[in-house]
Amino acid sequence: MKTALHRFIRSSINRQLAPVVTMLVQATLLGSLVLQAVPGIAGVNLAAPAVKSPQGTRGIAIPIGGALKYDNDAVWKRIVDLAGGRGARFAVFATASDDPEKSAERIIGALTKHGAVAEHIPVSAAIKGIDVHHAVRNPVLLAKVRGSRGVYFAGGAQERITDALYQNDGAATPMLAAIWEVFNKGGVVAGSSAGAAIMSATMFRDPPEVMDILRAGQAGLKSGRDFDRGLGFVGADIFVDQHFLKRGRIGRMLPLMLQTGYKMGFGVEENTAVIVQGDDIEVIDAKDSKGALVADLGAASVDASMPEFNISNVKLTYLDRGDRYNLKTKMVTPSAQKLRGKKLEPLAGGGKYNPYFKGAIFSPAILADGVIVNTMAQLIDSDQASAVGLAFAASRADTKAETAQKHRQQLGFEFTLRKGADSVGYVSSANGGEDYTVVNLYLDVSPVMMAVPLYLPLVQSSENRSQQQRK
């Protein structure tokens, strides 16, 4: 049966295009087979990441999800305060940026506004006259870094950072060793976008688009091209991704975590910071920003017999501003605002659970901007046990009648969110809107078949219009 299904998916089907709703409802699921927990996929060890951080992590790592606004005082002030407050020295690396001098100038301005003393460490081939090989060994620059209480990495292309700070043999350069000295003395290492990507021991380097990664199937990412070693400031066991909700990057984080063996991943949204200090994590963001999504694969399973990407039982938690998470206990401490708000307990008896949303929950674009956390919030505050979303690459029908009748099958993915016995939520309107914290929903991702084109325009050809006008 399974072989027949796979042959069916890979064949093209020529038939009359059904209406959009019918196609979505009747899409044939490939994930109906019973999933079994497996210890590994195609020889991949699921017990430990492929790359470990070179030293113990004793400092404070602050990955920021990108697009950090310079007026986001909550984040900038916290960075400076954690490094010692007014007078704290920062070494700014704009290595990842296309215009490192301009980027460094803006970052220095934001840090200085909150009392820091910040200086650009010019380690970039994009700066005229800079030899990166010599810069990472320059004793003057090394002394400035060692004398800092904080290090900040700008956004851009993360591979520029790792290529500059690692030697060809994989050993740390003197500059990277100096940054680790700052960190291991209790200092702060912060970074936005590319500067967040390098925080985990493994990072995306130059990956394909999210849907292409999903379609590549199990173990479809290439080491050294799609992903590579990071710097590891959050420790060996946490994977970090950024621009996360804005760009639907859960669709790329889950495949990479499976392939490299990570059990815990954090997706940080734009204009949001996650403070990692020991086993404690805290979310800091602006009033109009989203937070971070935690993906726990500790009890996840896959059907390794299927070449298409699939995963079951991923535990998801959405952390809003001020929420905390402990990596050892996996317990969430909601912000004070949330604790003063309403607690949502789906399994609470005695009429204590009175959900706001009624009826089925479905999203045709689960990887669109913020949709997955909005769906999580709706589910935890609804009378439904689950919610469904689709991820696929849509296309519009050709208006020519002969080509509009032809379509093929295209691989998509169904995301099913489920409530569990430990699912809870918190909601507060203290900031003027409905802000949710959602704890312990469960995600299954299954491959499905989508028809292409997805829909047909209801337009007449110019020839038909002319004939009707003559009548």
Side-chain angles (χ1 to χ4, degrees):
M1 175 182 175
K2 195 182 304 180
T3 303
L5 273 172
H6 288 149
R7 284 200 303 266
F8 181 59
I9 281 182
R10 290 175 176 84
S11 66
S12 59
I13 300 174
N14 295 312
R15 61 183 178 182
Q16 183 67 33
L17 184 66
V20 174
V21 174
T22 303
M23 286 191 299
L24 295 177
V25 173
Q26 295 182 348
T28 303
L29 295 177
L30 295 176
S32 58
L33 301 170
V34 176
L35 297 178
Q36 298 179 349
V38 293
I41 303 173
V44 175
N45 175 22
L46 294 186
V51 185
K52 293 182 181 295
S53 57
Q55 304 181 43
T57 54
R58 294 185 291 168
I60 303 170
I62 308 179
I64 301 159
L68 178 60
K69 296 180 180 179
Y70 294 106
D71 63 354
N72 188 339
D73 293 336
V75 171
W76 290 107
K77 185 178 186 303
R78 191 66 180 279
I79 292 171
V80 175
D81 287 348
L82 288 170
R86 184 165 296 277
R89 292 190 169 275
F90 272 81
V92 175
F93 287 81
T95 309
S97 176
D98 290 331
D99 190 347
E101 291 173 303
K102 186 175 182 179
S103 178
E105 180 183 358
R106 290 174 174 172
I107 292 165
I108 288 169
L111 292 169
T112 302
K113 176 184 175 183
H114 295 284
V117 178
E119 184 174 356
H120 182 204
I121 306 299
V123 178
S124 172
I127 302 175
K128 187 176 181 180
I130 295 296
D131 183 316
V132 172
H133 178 81
H134 291 120
V136 296
R137 295 165 175 80
N138 184 317
V140 175
L141 297 180
L142 293 173
K144 289 180 177 180
V145 172
R146 291 192 182 102
S148 300
R149 285 288 300 164
V151 174
Y152 189 97
F153 287 99
Q158 53 261 33
E159 63 270 21
R160 293 172 183 165
I161 299 174
T162 53
D163 289 351
L165 295 180
Y166 280 120
Q167 300 183 86
N168 291 336
D169 62 358
T173 61
M175 184 62 76
L176 180 54
I179 296 169
W180 272 102
E181 284 183 36
V182 173
F183 187 75
N184 285 325
K185 289 177 182 177
V188 169
V189 176
S192 180
S193 189
I198 54 95
M199 291 287 178
S200 44
T202 302
M203 69 175 195
F204 280 110
R205 184 178 178 92
D206 187 20
E209 293 299 319
V210 171
M211 282 304 303
D212 292 331
I213 292 174
L214 284 170
R215 287 175 179 160
Q218 309 288 11
L221 291 163
K222 303 298 182 184
S223 177
R225 183 194 71 186
D226 301 331
F227 67 94
D228 209 340
R229 59 191 173 190
L231 301 186
F233 292 107
V234 297
D237 300 323
I238 307 173
F239 180 74
V240 175
D241 205 356
Q242 19 71 40
H243 299 283
F244 195 74
L245 304 176
K246 186 78 174 177
R247 302 182 186 179
R249 285 183 167 175
I250 191 171
R252 74 178 197 175
M253 185 170 79
L254 293 179
L256 182 131
M257 289 177 67
L258 277 177
Q259 187 169 335
T260 56
Y262 279 98
K263 295 297 182 70
M264 184 67 66
F266 280 79
V268 189
E269 180 53 328
E270 295 182 354
N271 205 30
T272 297
V274 170
I275 298 169
V276 183
Q277 189 170 13
D279 293 320
D280 294 317
I281 289 175
E282 181 184 359
V283 173
I284 306 293
D285 61 30
K287 193 174 182 179
D288 58 346
S289 301
K290 292 289 186 182
L293 192 65
V294 183
D296 180 357
L297 273 59
S301 60
V302 300
D303 182 351
S305 68
M306 296 181 68
E308 293 83 12
F309 175 78
N310 67 91
I311 189 167
S312 180
N313 214 41
V314 178
K315 186 184 290 187
L316 293 183
T317 291
Y318 172 66
L319 302 175
D320 200 21
R321 71 182 67 84
D323 293 339
R324 295 172 181 268
Y325 184 89
N326 185 275
L327 290 166
K328 277 190 176 178
T329 65
K330 299 184 179 179
M331 297 296 292
V332 174
T333 303
S335 67
Q337 284 185 348
K338 294 290 176 57
L339 290 174
R340 289 192 297 267
K342 180 182 178 182
K343 186 176 182 180
L344 304 168
E345 299 178 274
L347 297 184
K352 292 182 179 179
Y353 182 59
N354 183 25
Y356 177 80
F357 297 103
K358 313 293 181 183
I361 304 170
F362 173 78
S363 170
I366 196 68
L367 299 183
D369 183 1
V371 172
I372 191 163
V373 294
N374 291 339
T375 305
M376 290 174 66
Q378 189 175 355
L379 177 59
I380 200 66
D381 200 4
S382 81
D383 60 356
Q384 300 295 297
S386 64
V388 175
L390 289 175
F392 61 98
S395 70
R396 183 180 184 274
D398 194 314
T399 55
K400 293 181 180 179
E402 65 272 20
T403 56
Q405 298 300 322
K406 297 177 182 179
H407 59 93
R408 59 184 174 81
Q409 294 291 332
Q410 178 176 293
L411 187 63
F413 296 86
E414 182 190 61
F415 285 61
T416 302
L417 289 161
R418 300 178 281 106
K419 290 175 181 173
D422 55 350
S423 299
V424 296
Y426 301 84
V427 60
S428 170
S429 57
N431 288 318
E434 298 296 318
D435 295 324
Y436 285 84
T437 296
V438 184
V439 182
N440 299 340
L441 291 181
Y442 293 83
L443 173 67
D444 305 328
V445 182
S446 302
V448 299
M449 292 183 297
M450 302 295 300
V452 176
L454 182 62
Y455 65 96
L456 288 169
L458 290 175
V459 296
Q460 294 176 307
S461 68
S462 57
E463 181 180 351
N464 288 340
R465 284 198 301 269
S466 298
Q467 291 176 351
Q468 288 186 356
Q469 287 172 358
R470 284 195 294 271
K471 291 179 181 179

